[in-house]
Short mmCIF file of all heavy atoms in Angstrom, two decimals:
data_model
loop_
_atom_site.label_atom_id
_atom_site.label_comp_id
_atom_site.label_asym_id
_atom_site.label_seq_id
_atom_site.Cartn_x
_atom_site.Cartn_y
_atom_site.Cartn_z
N MET A 1 158.59 -113.20 -32.88
CA MET A 1 158.05 -113.87 -34.06
C MET A 1 156.53 -113.90 -34.03
O MET A 1 155.93 -114.09 -32.99
CB MET A 1 158.58 -115.31 -34.14
CG MET A 1 159.44 -115.49 -35.39
SD MET A 1 159.21 -117.09 -36.10
CE MET A 1 160.39 -118.05 -35.14
N GLU A 2 155.97 -113.72 -35.17
CA GLU A 2 154.52 -113.65 -35.27
C GLU A 2 153.94 -114.97 -35.77
O GLU A 2 154.43 -115.52 -36.75
CB GLU A 2 154.16 -112.54 -36.25
CG GLU A 2 152.81 -111.90 -35.98
CD GLU A 2 152.55 -110.75 -36.94
OE1 GLU A 2 153.41 -109.86 -37.03
OE2 GLU A 2 151.50 -110.78 -37.58
N ALA A 3 152.95 -115.45 -35.08
CA ALA A 3 152.31 -116.69 -35.51
C ALA A 3 151.45 -116.42 -36.73
O ALA A 3 150.78 -115.40 -36.81
CB ALA A 3 151.47 -117.27 -34.39
N LYS A 4 151.52 -117.34 -37.66
CA LYS A 4 150.68 -117.17 -38.84
C LYS A 4 149.28 -117.67 -38.52
O LYS A 4 149.11 -118.79 -38.07
CB LYS A 4 151.25 -117.97 -40.01
CG LYS A 4 152.53 -117.40 -40.55
CD LYS A 4 153.12 -118.39 -41.56
CE LYS A 4 154.59 -118.10 -41.79
NZ LYS A 4 155.35 -119.33 -42.03
N LYS A 5 148.34 -116.82 -38.77
CA LYS A 5 146.96 -117.23 -38.52
C LYS A 5 146.24 -117.37 -39.85
O LYS A 5 146.27 -116.47 -40.67
CB LYS A 5 146.27 -116.21 -37.63
CG LYS A 5 146.72 -116.32 -36.21
CD LYS A 5 145.77 -115.62 -35.27
CE LYS A 5 146.23 -115.76 -33.83
NZ LYS A 5 145.62 -114.78 -32.95
N PHE A 6 145.63 -118.49 -40.00
CA PHE A 6 144.92 -118.70 -41.25
C PHE A 6 143.56 -119.28 -40.93
O PHE A 6 143.36 -119.89 -39.89
CB PHE A 6 145.71 -119.65 -42.15
CG PHE A 6 146.09 -120.94 -41.50
CD1 PHE A 6 145.24 -122.04 -41.56
CD2 PHE A 6 147.27 -121.04 -40.81
CE1 PHE A 6 145.60 -123.24 -40.95
CE2 PHE A 6 147.63 -122.23 -40.19
CZ PHE A 6 146.79 -123.33 -40.25
N GLU A 7 142.64 -119.04 -41.81
CA GLU A 7 141.32 -119.62 -41.62
C GLU A 7 140.68 -119.97 -42.95
O GLU A 7 141.20 -119.63 -44.01
CB GLU A 7 140.42 -118.71 -40.79
CG GLU A 7 140.31 -117.30 -41.33
CD GLU A 7 139.58 -116.42 -40.34
OE1 GLU A 7 138.60 -116.88 -39.74
OE2 GLU A 7 139.97 -115.26 -40.18
N LEU A 8 139.58 -120.66 -42.84
CA LEU A 8 138.87 -121.12 -44.02
C LEU A 8 138.55 -119.96 -44.95
O LEU A 8 138.05 -118.93 -44.53
CB LEU A 8 137.57 -121.80 -43.57
CG LEU A 8 136.83 -122.61 -44.63
CD1 LEU A 8 137.65 -123.81 -45.06
CD2 LEU A 8 135.50 -123.07 -44.09
N GLY A 9 138.88 -120.14 -46.21
CA GLY A 9 138.56 -119.12 -47.20
C GLY A 9 139.71 -118.16 -47.51
O GLY A 9 139.65 -117.40 -48.46
N ASP A 10 140.77 -118.22 -46.69
CA ASP A 10 141.92 -117.36 -46.95
C ASP A 10 142.62 -117.78 -48.24
O ASP A 10 142.65 -118.96 -48.58
CB ASP A 10 142.96 -117.50 -45.83
CG ASP A 10 142.56 -116.78 -44.56
OD1 ASP A 10 141.50 -116.15 -44.54
OD2 ASP A 10 143.34 -116.87 -43.58
N VAL A 11 143.18 -116.81 -48.94
CA VAL A 11 144.03 -117.11 -50.09
C VAL A 11 145.46 -116.91 -49.60
O VAL A 11 145.80 -115.86 -49.05
CB VAL A 11 143.72 -116.20 -51.29
CG1 VAL A 11 144.68 -116.49 -52.44
CG2 VAL A 11 142.28 -116.43 -51.75
N VAL A 12 146.27 -117.95 -49.75
CA VAL A 12 147.61 -117.92 -49.19
C VAL A 12 148.69 -118.16 -50.24
O VAL A 12 148.41 -118.68 -51.32
CB VAL A 12 147.76 -118.98 -48.07
CG1 VAL A 12 146.75 -118.74 -46.96
CG2 VAL A 12 147.62 -120.39 -48.62
N GLU A 13 149.90 -117.76 -49.88
CA GLU A 13 151.05 -118.04 -50.73
C GLU A 13 151.89 -119.09 -50.02
O GLU A 13 152.13 -118.99 -48.83
CB GLU A 13 151.86 -116.75 -50.92
CG GLU A 13 152.97 -116.88 -51.94
CD GLU A 13 153.73 -115.57 -52.10
OE1 GLU A 13 153.09 -114.51 -52.26
OE2 GLU A 13 154.96 -115.61 -52.04
N MET A 14 152.32 -120.11 -50.76
CA MET A 14 153.12 -121.17 -50.18
C MET A 14 154.58 -120.96 -50.54
O MET A 14 154.92 -120.16 -51.41
CB MET A 14 152.64 -122.54 -50.68
CG MET A 14 151.17 -122.81 -50.44
SD MET A 14 150.68 -122.77 -48.70
CE MET A 14 151.25 -124.38 -48.16
N LYS A 15 155.46 -121.71 -49.86
CA LYS A 15 156.89 -121.56 -50.16
C LYS A 15 157.21 -122.10 -51.55
O LYS A 15 158.15 -121.66 -52.19
CB LYS A 15 157.73 -122.26 -49.09
CG LYS A 15 157.79 -121.41 -47.84
CD LYS A 15 158.56 -122.04 -46.72
CE LYS A 15 158.50 -121.14 -45.48
NZ LYS A 15 158.79 -121.88 -44.26
N LYS A 16 156.41 -123.07 -51.96
CA LYS A 16 156.61 -123.63 -53.30
C LYS A 16 155.38 -123.38 -54.14
O LYS A 16 154.27 -123.64 -53.70
CB LYS A 16 156.81 -125.14 -53.16
CG LYS A 16 158.14 -125.65 -53.70
CD LYS A 16 158.08 -127.16 -53.81
CE LYS A 16 159.37 -127.77 -53.31
NZ LYS A 16 159.32 -129.24 -53.27
N GLN A 17 155.58 -122.88 -55.34
CA GLN A 17 154.41 -122.66 -56.18
C GLN A 17 153.96 -123.96 -56.83
O GLN A 17 154.71 -124.93 -56.90
CB GLN A 17 154.71 -121.61 -57.24
CG GLN A 17 155.69 -122.09 -58.30
CD GLN A 17 155.91 -121.06 -59.40
OE1 GLN A 17 155.70 -119.89 -59.20
NE2 GLN A 17 156.34 -121.53 -60.55
N HIS A 18 152.75 -123.94 -57.31
CA HIS A 18 152.21 -125.11 -57.99
C HIS A 18 152.90 -125.23 -59.35
O HIS A 18 153.27 -124.23 -59.94
CB HIS A 18 150.69 -124.92 -58.17
CG HIS A 18 149.98 -126.18 -58.53
ND1 HIS A 18 149.24 -126.30 -59.67
CD2 HIS A 18 149.94 -127.37 -57.90
CE1 HIS A 18 148.74 -127.54 -59.72
NE2 HIS A 18 149.16 -128.20 -58.65
N PRO A 19 153.08 -126.46 -59.86
CA PRO A 19 153.72 -126.63 -61.17
C PRO A 19 153.07 -125.82 -62.29
O PRO A 19 153.71 -125.54 -63.30
CB PRO A 19 153.59 -128.13 -61.44
CG PRO A 19 153.52 -128.74 -60.09
CD PRO A 19 152.81 -127.75 -59.22
N CYS A 20 151.81 -125.43 -62.13
CA CYS A 20 151.14 -124.65 -63.18
C CYS A 20 151.63 -123.21 -63.19
O CYS A 20 151.29 -122.45 -64.07
CB CYS A 20 149.62 -124.70 -63.01
SG CYS A 20 148.96 -123.61 -61.75
N GLY A 21 152.44 -122.83 -62.21
CA GLY A 21 153.02 -121.49 -62.20
C GLY A 21 152.32 -120.51 -61.28
O GLY A 21 152.76 -119.38 -61.12
N THR A 22 151.25 -120.94 -60.67
CA THR A 22 150.49 -120.06 -59.77
C THR A 22 150.93 -120.30 -58.33
O THR A 22 151.19 -121.44 -57.95
CB THR A 22 148.98 -120.36 -59.91
OG1 THR A 22 148.60 -120.12 -61.26
CG2 THR A 22 148.16 -119.47 -58.99
N ASN A 23 150.99 -119.25 -57.56
CA ASN A 23 151.27 -119.42 -56.14
C ASN A 23 150.21 -118.71 -55.32
O ASN A 23 150.50 -117.82 -54.53
CB ASN A 23 152.68 -118.95 -55.78
CG ASN A 23 153.13 -119.53 -54.44
OD1 ASN A 23 152.33 -120.11 -53.71
ND2 ASN A 23 154.39 -119.37 -54.13
N GLU A 24 149.00 -119.08 -55.59
CA GLU A 24 147.86 -118.58 -54.82
C GLU A 24 146.96 -119.76 -54.54
O GLU A 24 146.50 -120.43 -55.46
CB GLU A 24 147.08 -117.52 -55.61
CG GLU A 24 147.73 -116.17 -55.65
CD GLU A 24 146.93 -115.19 -56.48
OE1 GLU A 24 145.69 -115.25 -56.44
OE2 GLU A 24 147.55 -114.38 -57.17
N TRP A 25 146.75 -120.00 -53.27
CA TRP A 25 145.96 -121.17 -52.87
C TRP A 25 144.85 -120.72 -51.94
O TRP A 25 145.08 -119.93 -51.03
CB TRP A 25 146.85 -122.16 -52.12
CG TRP A 25 148.02 -122.66 -52.90
CD1 TRP A 25 149.23 -122.04 -53.05
CD2 TRP A 25 148.12 -123.89 -53.62
NE1 TRP A 25 150.06 -122.83 -53.82
CE2 TRP A 25 149.40 -123.97 -54.17
CE3 TRP A 25 147.21 -124.94 -53.83
CZ2 TRP A 25 149.81 -125.06 -54.94
CZ3 TRP A 25 147.62 -126.03 -54.59
CH2 TRP A 25 148.91 -126.08 -55.14
N LYS A 26 143.70 -121.28 -52.15
CA LYS A 26 142.58 -120.96 -51.27
C LYS A 26 142.35 -122.13 -50.32
O LYS A 26 142.34 -123.29 -50.74
CB LYS A 26 141.33 -120.71 -52.10
CG LYS A 26 140.19 -120.15 -51.28
CD LYS A 26 139.04 -119.78 -52.19
CE LYS A 26 138.45 -118.43 -51.75
NZ LYS A 26 137.53 -117.90 -52.73
N ILE A 27 142.17 -121.80 -49.04
CA ILE A 27 141.90 -122.84 -48.05
C ILE A 27 140.43 -123.22 -48.16
O ILE A 27 139.56 -122.39 -47.92
CB ILE A 27 142.23 -122.35 -46.63
CG1 ILE A 27 143.70 -121.94 -46.53
CG2 ILE A 27 141.91 -123.45 -45.61
CD1 ILE A 27 144.08 -121.28 -45.22
N ILE A 28 140.18 -124.46 -48.55
CA ILE A 28 138.79 -124.86 -48.73
C ILE A 28 138.32 -125.88 -47.70
O ILE A 28 137.16 -126.24 -47.65
CB ILE A 28 138.52 -125.39 -50.16
CG1 ILE A 28 139.46 -126.56 -50.51
CG2 ILE A 28 138.69 -124.28 -51.19
CD1 ILE A 28 139.06 -127.26 -51.81
N ARG A 29 139.24 -126.37 -46.89
CA ARG A 29 138.84 -127.28 -45.83
C ARG A 29 139.84 -127.22 -44.69
O ARG A 29 141.04 -127.22 -44.92
CB ARG A 29 138.75 -128.71 -46.36
CG ARG A 29 137.86 -129.59 -45.51
CD ARG A 29 138.04 -131.04 -45.88
NE ARG A 29 138.69 -131.70 -44.76
CZ ARG A 29 138.44 -132.98 -44.45
NH1 ARG A 29 137.64 -133.70 -45.17
NH2 ARG A 29 139.04 -133.52 -43.41
N MET A 30 139.34 -127.18 -43.49
CA MET A 30 140.23 -127.15 -42.34
C MET A 30 139.89 -128.29 -41.41
O MET A 30 138.73 -128.58 -41.15
CB MET A 30 140.02 -125.85 -41.55
CG MET A 30 140.35 -124.62 -42.35
SD MET A 30 141.90 -123.89 -41.83
CE MET A 30 141.38 -123.07 -40.36
N GLY A 31 140.93 -128.95 -40.93
CA GLY A 31 140.73 -130.05 -40.01
C GLY A 31 142.10 -130.49 -39.57
O GLY A 31 143.02 -129.68 -39.50
N ALA A 32 142.26 -131.77 -39.31
CA ALA A 32 143.59 -132.30 -39.00
C ALA A 32 144.43 -132.14 -40.26
O ALA A 32 145.64 -131.94 -40.20
CB ALA A 32 143.50 -133.75 -38.60
N ASP A 33 143.76 -132.20 -41.40
CA ASP A 33 144.40 -131.94 -42.68
C ASP A 33 143.79 -130.68 -43.28
O ASP A 33 142.63 -130.37 -43.04
CB ASP A 33 144.16 -133.09 -43.67
CG ASP A 33 144.85 -134.36 -43.22
OD1 ASP A 33 145.99 -134.28 -42.73
OD2 ASP A 33 144.23 -135.42 -43.33
N ILE A 34 144.59 -129.99 -44.04
CA ILE A 34 144.12 -128.77 -44.69
C ILE A 34 144.00 -129.05 -46.18
O ILE A 34 144.91 -129.62 -46.77
CB ILE A 34 145.15 -127.62 -44.49
CG1 ILE A 34 145.55 -127.47 -43.03
CG2 ILE A 34 144.62 -126.32 -45.09
CD1 ILE A 34 144.59 -126.73 -42.17
N ARG A 35 142.90 -128.67 -46.76
CA ARG A 35 142.76 -128.81 -48.20
C ARG A 35 142.85 -127.42 -48.83
O ARG A 35 142.12 -126.51 -48.43
CB ARG A 35 141.44 -129.48 -48.59
CG ARG A 35 141.36 -129.78 -50.08
CD ARG A 35 140.04 -130.44 -50.44
NE ARG A 35 140.04 -131.87 -50.21
CZ ARG A 35 140.50 -132.78 -51.07
NH1 ARG A 35 141.04 -132.40 -52.21
NH2 ARG A 35 140.45 -134.05 -50.79
N ILE A 36 143.75 -127.30 -49.78
CA ILE A 36 143.91 -126.03 -50.46
C ILE A 36 143.72 -126.22 -51.95
O ILE A 36 144.03 -127.29 -52.49
CB ILE A 36 145.29 -125.37 -50.19
CG1 ILE A 36 146.44 -126.34 -50.49
CG2 ILE A 36 145.37 -124.87 -48.76
CD1 ILE A 36 147.83 -125.73 -50.35
N LYS A 37 143.22 -125.19 -52.59
CA LYS A 37 142.94 -125.27 -54.02
C LYS A 37 143.76 -124.22 -54.75
O LYS A 37 143.78 -123.05 -54.36
CB LYS A 37 141.45 -125.04 -54.26
CG LYS A 37 141.03 -125.35 -55.68
CD LYS A 37 139.53 -125.23 -55.85
CE LYS A 37 139.14 -123.76 -55.91
NZ LYS A 37 137.70 -123.57 -56.14
N CYS A 38 144.42 -124.67 -55.80
CA CYS A 38 145.22 -123.75 -56.61
C CYS A 38 144.28 -122.81 -57.36
O CYS A 38 143.35 -123.25 -58.02
CB CYS A 38 146.07 -124.55 -57.60
SG CYS A 38 146.96 -123.50 -58.75
N GLU A 39 144.54 -121.51 -57.22
CA GLU A 39 143.67 -120.53 -57.88
C GLU A 39 143.93 -120.45 -59.38
O GLU A 39 143.16 -119.88 -60.12
CB GLU A 39 143.89 -119.15 -57.24
CG GLU A 39 143.40 -119.06 -55.82
CD GLU A 39 141.89 -118.87 -55.71
OE1 GLU A 39 141.18 -119.88 -55.76
OE2 GLU A 39 141.45 -117.73 -55.58
N GLY A 40 145.05 -121.04 -59.81
CA GLY A 40 145.37 -121.00 -61.22
C GLY A 40 144.65 -122.09 -62.01
O GLY A 40 144.02 -121.82 -63.03
N CYS A 41 144.74 -123.32 -61.52
CA CYS A 41 144.19 -124.44 -62.29
C CYS A 41 143.10 -125.20 -61.54
O CYS A 41 142.61 -126.21 -62.03
CB CYS A 41 145.33 -125.39 -62.69
SG CYS A 41 146.09 -126.23 -61.29
N GLN A 42 142.75 -124.74 -60.36
CA GLN A 42 141.67 -125.34 -59.56
C GLN A 42 142.00 -126.74 -59.02
O GLN A 42 141.12 -127.45 -58.55
CB GLN A 42 140.34 -125.39 -60.35
CG GLN A 42 139.95 -124.06 -60.98
CD GLN A 42 139.76 -122.95 -59.96
OE1 GLN A 42 138.99 -123.08 -59.04
NE2 GLN A 42 140.48 -121.86 -60.11
N HIS A 43 143.25 -127.13 -59.13
CA HIS A 43 143.66 -128.42 -58.60
C HIS A 43 143.70 -128.30 -57.07
O HIS A 43 144.16 -127.29 -56.55
CB HIS A 43 145.05 -128.77 -59.14
CG HIS A 43 145.60 -130.06 -58.60
ND1 HIS A 43 145.23 -131.28 -59.12
CD2 HIS A 43 146.48 -130.31 -57.62
CE1 HIS A 43 145.86 -132.23 -58.45
NE2 HIS A 43 146.62 -131.67 -57.53
N SER A 44 143.21 -129.30 -56.36
CA SER A 44 143.26 -129.20 -54.91
C SER A 44 144.11 -130.30 -54.30
O SER A 44 144.19 -131.41 -54.84
CB SER A 44 141.86 -129.21 -54.31
OG SER A 44 141.27 -130.48 -54.41
N VAL A 45 144.76 -129.97 -53.22
CA VAL A 45 145.60 -130.93 -52.53
C VAL A 45 145.29 -130.89 -51.04
O VAL A 45 144.88 -129.87 -50.50
CB VAL A 45 147.12 -130.65 -52.71
CG1 VAL A 45 147.55 -130.89 -54.13
CG2 VAL A 45 147.49 -129.25 -52.27
N MET A 46 145.50 -132.03 -50.39
CA MET A 46 145.25 -132.13 -48.96
C MET A 46 146.60 -132.37 -48.29
O MET A 46 147.34 -133.26 -48.67
CB MET A 46 144.34 -133.32 -48.71
CG MET A 46 143.91 -133.39 -47.29
SD MET A 46 142.12 -133.27 -47.17
CE MET A 46 141.65 -134.96 -47.10
N ILE A 47 146.91 -131.55 -47.30
CA ILE A 47 148.18 -131.75 -46.59
C ILE A 47 147.95 -131.64 -45.08
O ILE A 47 147.07 -130.91 -44.63
CB ILE A 47 149.25 -130.72 -47.02
CG1 ILE A 47 148.68 -129.30 -47.07
CG2 ILE A 47 149.87 -131.08 -48.34
CD1 ILE A 47 149.73 -128.28 -47.41
N PRO A 48 148.74 -132.40 -44.32
CA PRO A 48 148.60 -132.34 -42.87
C PRO A 48 148.83 -130.92 -42.37
O PRO A 48 149.64 -130.19 -42.92
CB PRO A 48 149.71 -133.26 -42.36
CG PRO A 48 150.04 -134.16 -43.50
CD PRO A 48 149.78 -133.33 -44.74
N ARG A 49 148.08 -130.53 -41.36
CA ARG A 49 148.15 -129.18 -40.82
C ARG A 49 149.59 -128.75 -40.49
O ARG A 49 149.99 -127.63 -40.78
CB ARG A 49 147.30 -129.10 -39.55
CG ARG A 49 147.26 -127.71 -38.94
CD ARG A 49 146.40 -127.71 -37.71
NE ARG A 49 144.99 -127.66 -38.04
CZ ARG A 49 144.24 -126.54 -37.94
NH1 ARG A 49 144.77 -125.43 -37.51
NH2 ARG A 49 142.98 -126.56 -38.24
N ARG A 50 150.35 -129.64 -39.91
CA ARG A 50 151.71 -129.29 -39.52
C ARG A 50 152.56 -128.93 -40.76
O ARG A 50 153.34 -127.99 -40.74
CB ARG A 50 152.35 -130.44 -38.76
CG ARG A 50 153.60 -130.01 -38.00
CD ARG A 50 154.32 -131.20 -37.41
NE ARG A 50 153.54 -131.83 -36.35
CZ ARG A 50 153.89 -132.99 -35.79
NH1 ARG A 50 154.97 -133.62 -36.17
NH2 ARG A 50 153.15 -133.51 -34.84
N ASP A 51 152.38 -129.73 -41.83
CA ASP A 51 153.12 -129.46 -43.06
C ASP A 51 152.66 -128.15 -43.68
O ASP A 51 153.46 -127.37 -44.18
CB ASP A 51 152.89 -130.59 -44.08
CG ASP A 51 153.70 -131.82 -43.74
OD1 ASP A 51 154.38 -131.82 -42.70
OD2 ASP A 51 153.64 -132.78 -44.51
N PHE A 52 151.36 -127.93 -43.61
CA PHE A 52 150.82 -126.70 -44.17
C PHE A 52 151.44 -125.48 -43.48
O PHE A 52 151.86 -124.53 -44.13
CB PHE A 52 149.30 -126.68 -44.02
CG PHE A 52 148.66 -125.40 -44.48
CD1 PHE A 52 148.43 -125.18 -45.83
CD2 PHE A 52 148.33 -124.42 -43.57
CE1 PHE A 52 147.87 -123.98 -46.27
CE2 PHE A 52 147.76 -123.22 -43.99
CZ PHE A 52 147.53 -123.01 -45.34
N GLU A 53 151.50 -125.53 -42.16
CA GLU A 53 152.06 -124.40 -41.41
C GLU A 53 153.52 -124.17 -41.77
O GLU A 53 153.99 -123.05 -41.80
CB GLU A 53 151.91 -124.65 -39.90
CG GLU A 53 150.47 -124.44 -39.46
CD GLU A 53 150.22 -124.85 -38.01
OE1 GLU A 53 151.17 -125.29 -37.34
OE2 GLU A 53 149.05 -124.74 -37.57
N LYS A 54 154.22 -125.28 -42.04
CA LYS A 54 155.63 -125.17 -42.40
C LYS A 54 155.80 -124.57 -43.79
O LYS A 54 156.73 -123.82 -44.06
CB LYS A 54 156.28 -126.56 -42.37
CG LYS A 54 157.26 -126.72 -41.23
CD LYS A 54 157.99 -128.04 -41.35
CE LYS A 54 157.20 -129.17 -40.72
NZ LYS A 54 157.83 -130.49 -40.89
N LYS A 55 154.90 -124.93 -44.69
CA LYS A 55 155.02 -124.50 -46.08
C LYS A 55 154.36 -123.17 -46.38
O LYS A 55 154.60 -122.58 -47.42
CB LYS A 55 154.43 -125.58 -47.00
CG LYS A 55 155.28 -126.84 -47.01
CD LYS A 55 154.57 -127.95 -47.78
CE LYS A 55 155.38 -129.24 -47.71
NZ LYS A 55 154.59 -130.40 -48.15
N LEU A 56 153.55 -122.72 -45.46
CA LEU A 56 152.86 -121.45 -45.66
C LEU A 56 153.84 -120.29 -45.62
O LEU A 56 154.67 -120.19 -44.72
CB LEU A 56 151.81 -121.27 -44.55
CG LEU A 56 151.07 -119.94 -44.52
CD1 LEU A 56 150.22 -119.74 -45.75
CD2 LEU A 56 150.21 -119.86 -43.27
N LYS A 57 153.75 -119.43 -46.61
CA LYS A 57 154.64 -118.27 -46.64
C LYS A 57 153.91 -117.05 -46.07
O LYS A 57 154.39 -116.41 -45.16
CB LYS A 57 155.11 -118.00 -48.06
CG LYS A 57 156.36 -117.18 -48.14
CD LYS A 57 156.93 -117.25 -49.54
CE LYS A 57 157.88 -116.10 -49.81
NZ LYS A 57 158.17 -115.97 -51.24
N LYS A 58 152.77 -116.77 -46.66
CA LYS A 58 151.99 -115.66 -46.12
C LYS A 58 150.54 -115.72 -46.57
O LYS A 58 150.20 -116.38 -47.53
CB LYS A 58 152.61 -114.32 -46.51
CG LYS A 58 152.61 -114.07 -48.00
CD LYS A 58 153.18 -112.68 -48.28
CE LYS A 58 153.22 -112.43 -49.79
NZ LYS A 58 153.87 -111.17 -50.13
N ILE A 59 149.73 -114.97 -45.85
CA ILE A 59 148.33 -114.84 -46.21
C ILE A 59 148.22 -113.70 -47.22
O ILE A 59 148.67 -112.59 -46.95
CB ILE A 59 147.46 -114.47 -44.97
CG1 ILE A 59 147.77 -115.36 -43.77
CG2 ILE A 59 145.98 -114.50 -45.33
CD1 ILE A 59 147.28 -116.76 -43.84
N LEU A 60 147.68 -113.99 -48.37
CA LEU A 60 147.52 -112.95 -49.38
C LEU A 60 146.21 -112.18 -49.18
O LEU A 60 146.19 -110.96 -49.14
CB LEU A 60 147.54 -113.57 -50.78
CG LEU A 60 148.87 -114.18 -51.24
CD1 LEU A 60 148.67 -114.89 -52.57
CD2 LEU A 60 149.95 -113.13 -51.37
N ILE A 61 145.13 -112.94 -49.08
CA ILE A 61 143.81 -112.31 -48.92
C ILE A 61 143.06 -113.01 -47.78
O ILE A 61 142.60 -114.13 -47.94
CB ILE A 61 142.99 -112.44 -50.22
CG1 ILE A 61 143.78 -111.92 -51.43
CG2 ILE A 61 141.65 -111.70 -50.08
CD1 ILE A 61 143.22 -112.38 -52.76
N PRO A 62 142.98 -112.36 -46.63
CA PRO A 62 142.24 -112.97 -45.51
C PRO A 62 140.75 -113.04 -45.83
O PRO A 62 140.20 -112.11 -46.42
CB PRO A 62 142.49 -112.02 -44.34
CG PRO A 62 143.51 -111.04 -44.79
CD PRO A 62 143.51 -111.05 -46.29
N ALA A 63 140.14 -114.16 -45.45
CA ALA A 63 138.70 -114.31 -45.68
C ALA A 63 137.92 -113.30 -44.84
O ALA A 63 136.95 -112.73 -45.30
CB ALA A 63 138.28 -115.73 -45.33
N ASN A 64 138.39 -113.10 -43.64
CA ASN A 64 137.74 -112.14 -42.74
C ASN A 64 138.78 -111.18 -42.18
O ASN A 64 139.38 -111.43 -41.16
CB ASN A 64 137.08 -112.88 -41.56
CG ASN A 64 135.99 -113.79 -42.04
OD1 ASN A 64 135.02 -113.37 -42.64
ND2 ASN A 64 136.16 -115.09 -41.79
N PRO A 65 139.00 -110.09 -42.87
CA PRO A 65 140.00 -109.12 -42.40
C PRO A 65 139.67 -108.64 -41.00
O PRO A 65 138.52 -108.30 -40.72
CB PRO A 65 139.90 -107.98 -43.41
CG PRO A 65 139.22 -108.54 -44.60
CD PRO A 65 138.31 -109.62 -44.08
N VAL A 66 140.67 -108.64 -40.17
CA VAL A 66 140.46 -108.21 -38.79
C VAL A 66 140.48 -106.69 -38.72
O VAL A 66 141.40 -106.05 -39.19
CB VAL A 66 141.57 -108.78 -37.86
CG1 VAL A 66 141.34 -108.32 -36.44
CG2 VAL A 66 141.60 -110.29 -37.96
N THR A 67 139.43 -106.16 -38.16
CA THR A 67 139.42 -104.71 -38.00
C THR A 67 139.61 -104.40 -36.51
O THR A 67 138.85 -104.87 -35.67
CB THR A 67 138.09 -104.10 -38.50
OG1 THR A 67 137.02 -104.83 -37.94
CG2 THR A 67 138.00 -104.17 -40.00
N GLU A 68 140.62 -103.66 -36.25
CA GLU A 68 140.89 -103.32 -34.86
C GLU A 68 140.27 -101.97 -34.53
O GLU A 68 140.61 -100.96 -35.09
CB GLU A 68 142.40 -103.28 -34.61
CG GLU A 68 142.98 -104.68 -34.55
CD GLU A 68 144.47 -104.65 -34.30
OE1 GLU A 68 144.91 -103.93 -33.41
OE2 GLU A 68 145.19 -105.36 -35.01
N GLU A 69 139.34 -102.03 -33.62
CA GLU A 69 138.68 -100.79 -33.23
C GLU A 69 138.80 -100.59 -31.74
O GLU A 69 137.82 -100.48 -31.02
CB GLU A 69 137.20 -100.82 -33.66
CG GLU A 69 137.06 -100.67 -35.17
CD GLU A 69 135.62 -100.75 -35.61
OE1 GLU A 69 134.73 -100.41 -34.82
OE2 GLU A 69 135.38 -101.18 -36.75
N GLN A 70 140.03 -100.57 -31.29
CA GLN A 70 140.28 -100.38 -29.87
C GLN A 70 140.87 -98.99 -29.65
O GLN A 70 141.76 -98.57 -30.36
CB GLN A 70 141.23 -101.44 -29.34
CG GLN A 70 140.58 -102.80 -29.31
CD GLN A 70 141.59 -103.90 -29.08
OE1 GLN A 70 142.79 -103.69 -29.22
NE2 GLN A 70 141.13 -105.08 -28.74
N ASN A 71 140.35 -98.31 -28.67
CA ASN A 71 140.87 -96.99 -28.37
C ASN A 71 141.85 -97.04 -27.22
O ASN A 71 141.64 -97.73 -26.27
CB ASN A 71 139.73 -96.03 -28.00
CG ASN A 71 138.90 -95.71 -29.26
OD1 ASN A 71 139.46 -95.51 -30.33
ND2 ASN A 71 137.60 -95.71 -29.11
ZN1 LIG B 1 147.85 -124.94 -60.30
#
């Protein structure tokens, strides 16, 4: 199993979409709680990190794409 890695600025998809119909959230704050903002209506919510990890489905757009340059 692969651990989901997320960081500030990532756009993620959650298991549940926002009532506005959008399922794209941007991580705008990281701490003990994670604050994410709906890309559809700009509404933001704060959720505990553990809940966020449980509800996170996948990273859509990484803020800093990892480039592997190992030979
Ligand atoms: Zn929304």
Side-chain angles (χ1 to χ4, degrees):
M1 244 217 274
E2 208 177 307
K4 289 171 199 146
K5 285 197 179 161
F6 52 90
E7 54 189 320
L8 192 66
D10 284 359
V11 177
V12 301
E13 188 179 312
M14 304 301 281
K15 283 178 183 159
K16 239 193 223 175
Q17 70 176 23
H18 194 238
C20 79
T22 301
N23 198 349
E24 283 179 37
W25 301 84
K26 190 174 222 169
I27 301 173
I28 56 170
R29 202 192 112 147
M30 298 254 282
D33 294 319
I34 310 280
R35 187 180 277 276
I36 53 175
K37 190 175 76 177
C38 174
E39 292 281 84
C41 67
Q42 310 300 304
H43 178 81
S44 71
V45 292
M46 187 119 96
I47 46 176
R49 182 179 281 257
R50 196 188 293 172
D51 283 3
F52 176 80
E53 285 172 0
K54 250 187 274 177
K55 291 172 184 166
L56 175 65
K57 200 167 161 194
K58 64 177 178 185
I59 312 287
L60 293 173
I61 307 163
N64 297 300
V66 180
T67 49
E68 285 180 47
E69 287 178 28
Q70 290 168 344
N71 289 319

